[in-house]
Structures are given as structure tokens and as C-alpha cells.
Amino acid sequence: MEGIGTFVITLVGGLVMYAIINWVVKEPGRQLQRKFIKLGDLRGKHKDEIVQVVGPPQSISAVDESTILLQWTATGYLIALIFEADICKGINQEIAT
């Protein structure tokens, strides 16, 4: 009977630790996502307005001569926005885990 009690305590402790670690690791992504949500509809917003709220992008890629793709990432969250002449045209990709 003692072995079962130890097993249950170990199992519950492991699950609690997993939940805590999972929350801590993904919190930066949740914070970034909340900042984007606060901005509301991103279409039509100037790049500088977005950067002022969420910080600089981690990646900038040229799509063509007038279009760029900016990406922000944090553990558990990624968002990629399309810009033409520094005006956001919309979300190209968004992933939240």
C-alpha cells in the first residue's frame, strides 16, 4: 500500500511541476499576444504605432519592392504581419500554442 501512495504523490507532484513550468515558459508569448490584442484591428495601422506597443520585430523580410513581412515571436506565440509603405495590410500568420 505504501508503494501506491508514493506513486500517487510522485504523479501528482510531477503533474503540478509540469503545469507550473508550462505556464512560466509560455507566459512571454501570452504577454506578446495580449499586446497585439490591445491594438485591435491591425489593418491600416502604421508600423511605428505597432512597434511602440509591442516592441521591435524579431524578423523583417522583403516580400517584393514595396511589401515587407515583419514577425514577432515569443515562446508559444508567433505573429507575422504584411506591410506596404509601413502600413499594415493584415496578419499573414498567427500561431498560439
Side-chain angles (χ1 to χ4, degrees):
M1 198 68 169
E2 189 176 303
I4 293 174
T6 303
F7 172 76
V8 170
I9 290 171
T10 303
L11 179 63
V12 170
L15 291 173
V16 169
M17 286 301 294
Y18 171 79
I20 292 170
I21 291 168
N22 190 43
W23 182 83
V24 168
V25 167
K26 290 186 179 179
E27 184 56 23
R30 286 189 288 269
Q31 288 178 7
L32 180 60
Q33 185 178 27
R34 284 191 290 271
K35 289 177 183 178
F36 275 101
I37 289 169
K38 274 177 86 174
L39 282 168
D41 188 357
L42 299 169
R43 290 173 295 184
K45 292 198 183 314
H46 193 277
K47 178 180 66 143
D48 293 342
E49 181 182 358
I50 295 170
V51 169
Q52 184 176 6
V53 173
V54 300
Q58 279 72 37
S59 172
I60 301 172
S61 305
V63 175
D64 60 34
E65 44 202 50
S66 64
T67 307
I68 59 172
L69 178 75
L70 276 63
Q71 296 182 67
W72 288 262
T73 61
T75 306
Y77 185 70
L78 171 133
I79 189 166
L81 306 178
I82 293 283
F83 288 83
E84 287 181 12
D86 288 342
I87 302 299
C88 183
K89 296 302 177 184
I91 297 172
N92 176 274
Q93 182 178 26
E94 185 176 26
I95 300 170
T97 59

